[in-house]
Amino acid sequence: MSDEITMQKNRFCALALACALAIGALPTARAFPATDVRNSVDFTSDVIYQIVTDRFVDGDPSNNPKAPLLSKDCRLTHLYCGGDWKGVESKITDGYLPALGVSALLLSVPVENVMATIAPSSSSYHGYWPRDFKRVNPAFGTMADFKHLIAVAHAHGIKVMIDFVINQTSPAREDDDQYAEDGRLYDDGKLLVAFNADAGGMYHHYGETDFSSVEDMRNKSLYDLADLDQQHPAIDAYLKSAILVWLDAGIDGIRVDTVKHVSPAWQKTWVAAINSHRPVFTAGEWYVPRNETDPAGYQFANQSGMSVLDFPFAQTLRAVFRYRDKDMTALGQMLDETGAAYLHPLDQVTFLDNHDQNRITLSDSPEHHRLVEQALAFALTARGTPMIYYGTEQYMLGAGHAPLNRAMMDKFDRGTAAFGLVRRLAALRKANPALQYGSHLQRFVTPDLYIFERRFHGNTVLVAINRNPYKEASVTQLVTALRCANGAPTRYADVLDEQQDGVAITVNCGAAAVAPFKLAPGAVAVWAERDDSASTLPELGHVGPVMGLAGEEITLSGRHFGSVRGSVLFDAAPLDGAAITHWEDTLIKVRLPARGAGRYAVAVQRDGARSDSYGGIEILGAPQVSLRVVVDDASAAAGEQLFVLGDDDALGANAAGRAAGPMDNRIVYRYPSWHTDVSVPAGTALSFRFVKKNAAGTVLARESGAAHRFTTPAGGTATVRVKLNGWSGAAAPAAQP
Ligand code: GLC
Ligand code: CA
């Protein structure tokens, strides 16, 4: 196993070093495997490592903020502790992160923040108080340091993601321009606006959200953070140009902060703008509390063009392995629910904990350490793109919320059991497409035992976790897709080298049953088979990005595409010739066809053989504009909701079930006025009318008279405000509170 890891590492380094030398001048025709660091839209083979930059390693004390912003020993946990990009880089070059096997880093928000303490003694060490989104936070280094870190990471086969804020600037108070920096926002050094000098309304001024509704969360401020109005043309343009600075610096992915607090329509226009520039992996923080389900989170993941941090996954995993208030059956239920709800489950970022939660490790007891290993094993083998929070591999503690869960990384021990487990499973994820693209099948479950299998054609990974720390589990009649070789019972060694008390198993021929075996108390075992030659048919595993304009490139990854170009099917209609810009056995790049806006299923065809199709790839008709639709004098009874129905896809394509909304009527516009924002194609003539539904979604009335017409501008944002013509088919309206 370890030889395999070294070999693999060397291969990546050799390849990537050559490209580091030629940065910016990569010949697109050159072959590279789907798991290569240059594939910044497919993270399914990666393990992401989340770093709070200020709390990792101080690689350059000269950039540390001065007192009172700095806590040298990091005992004042609300202050800067000195960590920086040089420090992160040092953990790549000294071999720690490469040995751990993680192949992507998520770094704290890198942009310039407010550099003052705010009473009682808080600071911007976390990065969530931006003042200039186009400049670096000097406490983390210079732009040259940042780019150097990216070059070094890439040379080691490691991608770099950044956390990025779109919702807010810094703490501010209405009518107090002396508070902190009054939310002042700069455009590469030039003052754009301050919270209390905001005649043009670049900020929302509706007070602080109580989280009671999406309308409240989207339009009011989160805590006291000055809340940007993305619909304002200057803010729209600013946020769209700011992210280009970081894309041009070479990032491979973005975690988008607080997506629940920003209009989804505007965010779709933002992602479309990113994809038009250079597509990277994007995942939004759609927070879902414990024991709650939130259909709107799934909807966001399916419609915004970005993935999400998979809170439903994380909360269940935490309930099972940290709080232990749910048993192992909850894992399967969660995978069933989320597997059906997400259009692209593989792209959702799974995790155990993060900088906003209690750390996964409960205590220093061996029993609690084993639970961490079990949780890690589950996340690193289950569907999705796993992310580990820095220090989990060292069993760092941090119960209690921020900043106690953001302590300075205190040791870099490569000998912990968790470190070894991550190393082995990250290598398996890189090597075995069953973990990247595979299906999920529950094989065996009891309240304490979970055995599941991932499968991608000839590749299979079987995982068994016995959560019970005292009781051995007897496993009989376990069925598997692992095969017996050459007609004889075949032994599969534990990929974890029995470090978590696992065992080897024997797969018998015929019924493909595993010979009865025992799983020790607390044991975790993983068995894998990799057989890429089992089939010669094209096997499509992943497509990204999932949204783009005609002419923009998407990347297909999988196996057996062959070396001779075939065609890519969009809803069964073949595309070949110049539209295909790259074709090799595991990776194809193709330009989206001008086939009309909408969702397509993509498949690969060659030599008469066709792959499975990968659905939900959205072709946009034109660059996107965030359009605010406002209607006045629209009466409705309590509980009734308004929607916008029109010819464009974003307005439901005339199908009332898919109309845009529900519209809001409490904050920005108040009843009987309503509004909603939609992402629509630029320069396009739209026609629309309003419909009224009850809470169950039944259409109660449609707007009478001629449809409203509006032609969208060539870019930016727009507002169309109309008066309701009247309702037809409605009962006499009662007043809505
Ligand atoms: C997100 C971050 C959290 C931060 C907040 C405001 O929830 O994860 O740490 O405080 O956004 O930016
Ligand atoms: Ca420093």
Side-chain angles (χ1 to χ4, degrees):
M1 193 68 204
S2 58
D3 279 348
E4 199 180 303
I5 292 168
T6 325
M7 271 178 51
Q8 202 183 7
K9 206 181 80 194
N10 288 342
R11 206 184 65 229
F12 278 115
C13 292
L15 206 116
L17 269 175
C19 56
L21 295 174
I23 276 183
L26 284 173
T28 42
R30 200 162 115 211
F32 59 93
T35 54
D36 191 274
V37 66
R38 279 167 291 167
N39 187 346
S40 52
V41 293
D42 179 357
F43 273 52
T44 56
S45 65
D46 294 309
V47 174
I48 307 169
Y49 187 79
Q50 182 190 355
I51 291 174
V52 176
T53 304
D54 180 61
R55 301 297 161 89
F56 199 54
V57 177
D58 183 358
D60 180 3
S62 78
N63 59 24
N64 291 357
K66 307 279 171 281
L69 267 177
L70 183 74
S71 173
K72 265 194 178 139
D73 53 12
C74 210
R75 266 193 298 162
L76 300 174
T77 50
H78 280 102
L79 298 180
Y80 276 88
C81 298
D84 48 35
W85 295 321
K86 279 267 169 284
V88 175
E89 190 180 309
S90 73
K91 286 294 144 192
I92 298 174
T93 51
D94 81 354
Y96 180 83
L97 292 170
L100 184 59
V102 295
S103 53
L105 306 178
L106 167 60
L107 306 175
S108 315
V109 183
V111 313
E112 187 180 286
N113 267 233
V114 169
M115 279 296 169
T117 53
I118 296 179
S121 69
S122 296
S123 77
S124 62
Y125 74 92
H126 42 66
Y128 295 116
W129 297 352
R131 69 201 292 285
D132 196 330
F133 292 64
K134 297 185 181 177
R135 292 193 169 177
V136 295
N137 184 331
F140 302 155
T142 62
M143 185 50 102
D145 293 336
F146 183 73
K147 289 182 180 168
H148 196 265
L149 167 58
I150 291 182
V152 168
H154 285 178
H156 286 80
I158 296 175
K159 300 172 184 176
V160 177
M161 290 177 79
I162 57 167
D163 196 349
F164 200 77
V165 172
I166 51 174
N167 175 64
Q168 83 239 4
T169 61
S170 57
R173 280 184 191 157
E174 215 66 65
D175 303 321
D176 181 1
D177 62 7
Q178 296 306 301
Y179 183 69
E181 282 196 7
D182 196 26
R184 276 191 285 279
L185 173 63
Y186 298 84
D187 185 342
D188 196 14
K190 216 178 90 236
L191 181 67
L192 198 59
V193 63
F195 192 61
N196 283 291
D198 180 22
M202 296 191 204
Y203 284 112
H204 287 142
H205 296 276
Y206 304 112
E208 195 175 318
T209 183
D210 60 6
F211 303 92
S212 57
S213 69
V214 278
E215 180 180 10
D216 202 85
M217 284 188 271
R218 275 180 205 156
N219 299 296
K220 296 189 180 181
S221 55
L222 175 61
Y223 319 123
D224 56 355
L225 302 167
D227 201 57
L228 292 165
D229 181 1
Q230 294 78 10
Q231 196 65 17
H232 189 288
I235 297 302
D236 169 66
Y238 177 81
L239 291 171
K240 283 174 181 162
S241 59
I243 193 61
L244 302 193
V245 171
W246 301 94
L247 290 169
D248 290 345
I251 57 165
D252 305 288
I254 309 167
R255 169 203 186 265
V256 188
D257 192 46
T258 60
V259 294
K260 215 169 160 175
H261 297 264
V262 179
S263 143
W266 180 83
Q267 294 186 81
K268 182 171 179 178
T269 72
W270 188 70
V271 177
I274 290 171
N275 289 355
S276 293
H277 190 73
R278 181 170 72 81
V280 296
F281 182 63
T282 47
E285 182 216 12
W286 188 286
Y287 178 73
V288 183
R290 283 179 79 190
N291 298 320
E292 285 183 26
T293 46
D294 185 355
Y298 297 130
Q299 200 182 332
F300 182 81
N302 295 343
Q303 295 181 355
S304 64
M306 66 172 107
S307 317
V308 293
L309 299 181
D310 195 348
F311 276 91
F313 182 109
Q315 300 289 28
T316 305
L317 177 140
R318 293 165 64 75
V320 170
F321 296 108
R322 187 185 198 284
Y323 299 103
R324 279 178 292 179
D325 52 9
K326 287 193 176 146
D327 69 36
M328 300 291 264
T329 59
L331 297 174
Q333 282 158 12
M334 175 275 292
L335 288 168
D336 285 349
E337 180 192 313
T338 56
Y342 290 124
L343 216 46
H344 303 115
L346 304 177
D347 281 331
Q348 312 311 320
V349 176
T350 57
F351 58 99
L352 294 70
D353 55 3
N354 65 29
H355 61 301
D356 295 323
Q357 294 175 305
N358 292 333
R359 277 184 175 273
I360 190 79
T361 309
L362 266 159
S363 84
D364 278 330
S365 80
E367 185 185 327
H368 287 158
H369 281 197
R370 181 52 63 87
L371 285 168
V372 173
E373 292 150 28
Q374 294 174 342
L376 278 169
F378 182 74
L380 292 173
T381 54
R383 66 104 187 113
T385 295
M387 177 159 80
I388 303 172
Y389 188 44
Y390 79 97
T392 301
E393 75 280 17
Q394 302 296 338
Y395 307 100
M396 267 176 82
L397 300 174
H401 288 265
L404 296 175
N405 53 0
R406 306 173 184 175
M408 199 75 191
M409 182 82 168
D410 53 354
K411 59 183 185 351
F412 292 89
D413 178 358
R414 302 185 196 186
T416 70
F419 188 100
L421 180 130
V422 173
R423 179 169 65 80
R424 290 176 175 91
L425 292 181
L428 185 66
R429 191 169 260 271
K430 270 273 182 235
N432 196 313
L435 293 191
Q436 297 158 13
Y437 315 127
S439 56
H440 175 97
L441 190 61
Q442 182 170 296
R443 287 294 194 186
F444 205 97
V445 62
T446 73
D448 269 333
L449 181 67
Y450 194 65
I451 304 184
F452 69 98
E453 195 160 80
R454 304 281 315 279
R455 182 133 214 260
F456 187 69
H457 302 276
N459 307 288
T460 303
V461 173
L462 181 67
V463 180
I465 304 173
N466 178 9
R467 190 182 62 165
N468 195 311
Y470 313 111
K471 249 178 77 188
E472 179 181 80
S474 281
V475 184
T476 54
Q477 292 178 331
L478 174 66
V479 175
T480 180
L482 292 168
R483 288 167 301 182
C484 73
N486 307 320
T490 302
R491 181 178 182 276
Y492 285 89
D494 174 17
V495 174
L496 301 176
D497 296 327
E498 304 183 9
Q499 293 296 303
Q500 272 73 30
D501 301 325
V503 286
I505 52 171
T506 300
V507 174
N508 292 320
C509 303
V514 179
F517 66 100
K518 294 194 190 321
L519 209 55
V524 187
V526 177
W527 306 280
E529 177 184 11
R530 182 166 168 197
D531 185 2
D532 277 334
S533 63
S535 124
T536 53
L537 304 176
E539 300 166 350
L540 179 58
H542 180 270
V543 180
V546 297
M547 174 181 92
L549 285 169
E552 289 177 4
E553 218 171 47
I554 57 168
T555 299
L556 285 59
S557 6
R559 295 291 183 272
H560 301 311
F561 298 153
S563 52
V564 178
R565 284 168 187 232
S567 45
V568 175
L569 308 176
F570 280 81
D571 278 358
L575 196 72
D576 35 39
I580 295 171
T581 53
H582 186 100
W583 188 292
E584 66 178 285
D585 196 43
T586 60
L587 188 138
I588 297 168
K589 283 177 184 276
V590 60
R591 294 195 187 286
L592 289 169
R595 288 258 169 86
R599 303 251 176 188
Y600 291 81
V602 174
V604 177
Q605 181 166 284
R606 66 156 174 82
D607 302 330
R610 180 181 290 200
S611 73
D612 290 339
S613 56
Y614 196 92
I617 304 303
E618 183 173 8
I619 300 181
L620 300 169
Q624 299 292 288
V625 165
S626 179
L627 174 66
R628 174 155 294 179
V629 182
V630 186
V631 58
D632 295 316
D633 295 341
S635 57
E640 293 176 352
Q641 296 180 319
L642 260 60
F643 293 78
V644 192
L645 179 62
D647 46 4
D648 190 77
D649 198 58
L651 303 176
N654 293 322
R658 290 183 45 223
M663 301 182 81
D664 296 327
N665 65 8
R666 285 163 186 265
I667 300 171
V668 185
Y669 297 88
R670 291 168 174 240
Y671 182 83
S673 294
W674 310 62
H675 93 282
T676 195
D677 297 345
V678 283
S679 175
V680 289
T684 302
L686 305 173
S687 77
F688 60 91
R689 63 177 72 243
F690 299 91
V691 295
K692 189 155 63 170
K693 299 184 188 179
N694 64 14
T698 308
V699 176
L700 303 173
R702 288 170 187 261
E703 189 186 10
S704 54
H708 305 280
R709 294 184 186 281
F710 182 74
T711 299
T712 60
T717 64
T719 298
V720 52
R721 184 166 188 168
V722 299
K723 191 171 151 346
L724 189 88
N725 295 326
W727 293 120
S728 73
Q736 171 144 357

